[in-house]
């Protein structure tokens, strides 16, 4: 089994910053990529950012480009999401996910989520 543990969420004023962390542990032989998703109240879960583990390529949803940065620490099997210039519409539960099989667009395990609330 694989566990993903997120941390770093909280309450912040608009314009502020937060950094989320997600540590993967358990039976991990190879990580292909990890991603961050978010789900706002009453909305579908949406993709926010992802990073390929070996090459380091990163992808972002348009609404966070230039404000969020995804990064990783291979030695710690940890992915981060630095969120700057936060807006009230960034308020959501943020989930990390990991792909262990190299299947594009597919994630094998998900974290429990961490709440991010941005006040106006």
């Amino acid at each position: 089994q694989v566990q993903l543990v997120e941390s770093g969420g909280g309450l912040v004023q608009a314009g502020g910053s937060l950094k989320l962390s997600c540590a993967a542990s358990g039976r991990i032989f190879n990580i292909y990529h990890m991603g961050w998703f978010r789900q706002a109240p009453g909305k579908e879960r949406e993709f926010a950012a992802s990073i390929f583990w070996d090459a380091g390529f990163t992808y972002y949803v348009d609404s966070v480009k230039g404000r969020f940065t995804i990064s990783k620490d291979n030695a710690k099997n940890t992915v981060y999401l630095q969120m700057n210039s936060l807006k009230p519409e960034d308020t959501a539960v943020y989930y990390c996910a990991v792909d262990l099989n190299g299947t594009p667009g597919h994630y094998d395990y998900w974290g429990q989520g961490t709440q991010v609330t941005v006040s106006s």
Side-chain angles (χ1 to χ4, degrees):
Q1 270 288 15
V2 174
Q3 296 80 39
L4 299 178
V5 178
E6 299 121 333
S7 61
L11 172 64
V12 64
Q13 288 188 330
S17 298
L18 283 174
K19 186 174 184 177
L20 307 183
S21 300
C22 173
S25 62
R27 291 177 58 82
I28 299 172
F29 298 104
N30 198 20
I31 293 176
Y32 287 87
H33 70 288
M34 293 189 74
W36 286 97
F37 292 76
R38 62 185 185 179
Q39 187 167 19
K43 295 187 177 181
E44 297 285 321
R45 185 172 61 191
E46 68 166 356
F47 167 82
S50 66
I51 186 166
F52 279 77
W53 217 244
D54 288 339
F57 297 133
T58 58
Y59 298 91
Y60 300 92
V61 68
D62 285 347
S63 58
V64 308
K65 284 181 181 177
R67 300 188 298 121
F68 290 11
T69 302
I70 188 170
S71 62
K72 61 184 174 69
D73 184 331
N74 291 44
K76 296 180 179 180
N77 285 344
T78 298
V79 65
Y80 305 95
L81 187 67
Q82 176 68 48
M83 306 184 293
N84 299 328
S85 302
L86 283 162
K87 305 175 180 179
E89 51 263 43
D90 294 319
T91 295
V93 178
Y94 283 71
Y95 300 90
C96 69
V98 63
D99 167 25
L100 302 177
N101 293 291
T103 305
H106 174 77
Y107 293 88
D108 302 289
Y109 294 94
W110 294 78
Q112 80 288 351
T114 185
Q115 177 70 46
V116 171
T117 303
V118 184
S119 63
S120 57

